[in-house]
Amino acid sequence: MEVLLTMLEFLAALVFFSLLGLLSVIVLEAYRRRHNNAHVEAPAIFEDPKSLKQVPCPNIFDPAEKYLSLIIPAFNEEHRLPGALNETMSYLQQRVANDESFSYEVLIVDDGSRDGTKKVAFDFVKKYGVNNVRVILLGKNHGKGEAIRKGMIHSRGELLLMLDADGATKVTDLEKLENQIHAVARKDHHHGDLPAGEATFRISDIPIVAFGSRAHLEEKALATRKWYRNFLMKGFHLVVLLAAGPGIRDTQCGFKMFTRSAARKLFTNIRLKRWCFDVELVFLCKWFRIPMLEISVNWSEIPGSKVNPLSIPNMLWELALMSVGYRTRIWKINS
């Protein structure tokens, strides 16, 4: 019996010191990343592939020059990117044809791809011009969150849409997010009953975020999605609830729209660079009291997903960093 008690005491001490060691590692890493939102780096440069001249790089703090910016992160997407871009450009060109006041830009952020993604992206720049399609090269792989942050920081739109390179969500669904943002802006600023000509606010100045959501497809997805993705999704939802609180059922859909004001607040503070940056966005929206809308979108599973069982430890690690970083005030939020 004494031997058994000694073993139990040893195991309890081992577990205690292991947890203490893990917590220490998390706190130290959170401290190391405390200035990650500053993202010290060389200035981004756009290059016109036709003239080879450098194009001035805008900043999220500059006034908007376009109505809509679409930010597409891409890592080894030479096969899936062309189809998504063709569909996107066809839609945008049609909107321009129907409305001369409509202006757009597409920013493709190459997150250190090792295949032909860069060539595919520059082919579209050559076809549509550097004023409408631009490419940002990160050089090495930083993660989806960092790729999107980079695109947001250097965009020109009043409204900024992030969407995946696989085209899993139909680009036409952006109008659902766009319309709801405008409706909330009018309501919150008491312009809903005024003639259009008397409305003085700019949509870019009103912080609002619209989250595309697949929550309405959950039952069907459970039946068709691979088992480990279902397991990952359920476990992740529970951890997200603990880390960021309730409010958004589907934080991970890669289809989100931000007003310029919201993007400025969020992407100059975000620190997570990979899978869990979406959860950090929810946390920051709540901190800044930015209205969050969750809107159902059409979505289909596209082969080639980069989410796999090995993603689980990384997701849990990032959520632990976020929780410790913000709750201990190691991570300061710039207003």
Side-chain angles (χ1 to χ4, degrees):
M1 180 64 71
E2 290 182 3
V3 174
L4 180 60
L5 288 174
T6 301
M7 290 181 62
L8 290 174
E9 289 173 353
F10 173 76
L11 289 174
L14 183 63
V15 170
F16 172 77
F17 285 110
S18 296
L19 292 175
L20 183 62
L22 177 61
L23 180 60
S24 299
V25 170
I26 292 173
V27 171
L28 287 172
E29 180 62 16
Y31 182 79
R32 189 182 71 82
R33 296 194 189 191
R34 68 193 186 281
H35 297 309
N36 259 24
N37 60 310
H39 299 277
V40 178
E41 60 196 351
I45 296 172
F46 294 117
E47 185 178 274
D48 186 342
K50 292 182 179 179
S51 65
L52 299 182
K53 292 182 179 179
Q54 293 183 356
V55 177
C57 187
N59 189 281
I60 192 67
F61 289 98
D62 298 335
E65 299 176 16
K66 299 275 188 176
Y67 172 69
L68 179 65
S69 293
L70 295 88
I71 293 90
I72 304 176
F75 176 62
N76 293 340
E77 293 286 3
E78 66 173 338
H79 298 299
R80 301 196 298 179
L81 186 59
L85 280 177
N86 279 321
E87 180 181 332
T88 298
M89 297 307 299
S90 176
Y91 165 77
L92 294 171
Q93 294 289 91
Q94 187 60 50
R95 279 196 67 165
V96 170
N98 294 336
D99 180 4
E100 292 183 357
S101 66
F102 177 79
S103 59
Y104 72 89
E105 66 172 348
V106 175
L107 281 79
I108 305 159
V109 187
D110 184 353
D111 188 22
S113 298
R114 296 183 295 271
D115 62 358
T117 298
K118 175 181 174 181
K119 181 182 182 303
V120 169
F122 274 112
D123 285 343
F124 278 84
V125 181
K126 292 176 183 177
K127 182 176 181 179
Y128 293 98
V130 74
N131 188 46
N132 290 325
V133 181
R134 296 182 171 186
V135 179
I136 299 177
L137 304 175
L138 297 190
K140 64 178 183 179
N141 181 253
H142 291 275
K144 180 180 178 181
E146 174 63 5
I148 290 173
R149 184 205 69 87
K150 185 75 167 181
M152 292 282 175
I153 289 295
H154 298 298
S155 64
R156 296 176 287 169
E158 293 186 59
L159 295 176
L160 296 82
L161 176 76
M162 54 172 270
L163 65 164
D164 291 336
D166 59 5
T169 303
K170 294 296 182 183
V171 68
T172 52
D173 277 3
L174 73 84
E175 294 181 26
K176 295 180 180 180
L177 280 61
E178 176 188 359
N179 292 338
Q180 286 298 311
I181 285 177
H182 278 280
V184 170
R186 287 194 298 268
K187 179 180 178 182
D188 288 356
H189 290 262
H190 308 290
H191 290 288
D193 56 348
L194 294 178
E198 294 184 26
T200 58
F201 70 91
R202 289 177 61 90
I203 194 66
S204 59
D205 297 332
I206 304 169
I208 304 173
V209 179
F211 290 73
S213 175
R214 305 158 296 180
H216 63 295
L217 303 172
E218 185 172 335
E219 185 175 338
K220 180 180 178 181
L222 286 172
T224 58
R225 192 182 290 142
K226 294 179 180 178
W227 69 269
Y228 64 80
R229 296 195 71 182
N230 287 331
F231 176 78
L232 176 62
M233 179 189 70
K234 289 295 185 182
F236 189 76
H237 284 175
L238 176 61
V239 177
V240 167
L241 189 64
L242 296 174
I248 299 295
R249 293 175 62 194
D250 182 8
T251 59
Q252 301 310 109
C253 181
F255 201 77
K256 298 179 177 68
M257 183 175 284
F258 309 81
T259 62
R260 192 170 187 81
S261 174
R264 185 182 301 122
K265 290 176 178 289
L266 298 173
F267 290 97
T268 55
N269 278 290
I270 198 167
R271 288 170 170 85
L272 299 182
K273 295 187 175 185
R274 294 192 178 274
W275 299 110
C276 291
F277 78 98
D278 305 82
V279 183
E280 189 177 6
L281 287 174
V282 174
F283 179 89
L284 289 171
C285 280
K286 291 183 176 182
W287 177 274
F288 286 114
R289 297 183 179 179
I290 296 174
M292 296 184 293
L293 315 173
E294 187 167 14
I295 301 161
S296 298
V297 295
N298 295 300
W299 182 87
S300 56
E301 183 103 26
I302 305 295
S305 171
K306 295 178 176 60
V307 177
N308 57 64
L310 296 178
S311 304
I312 299 174
N314 184 57
M315 289 180 172
L316 294 176
W317 171 248
E318 284 200 328
L319 286 175
L321 283 177
M322 187 191 84
S323 297
V324 170
Y326 284 119
R327 284 172 170 75
T328 60
R329 303 295 177 92
I330 292 175
W331 290 3
K332 306 293 184 183
I333 299 177
N334 301 320
S335 56

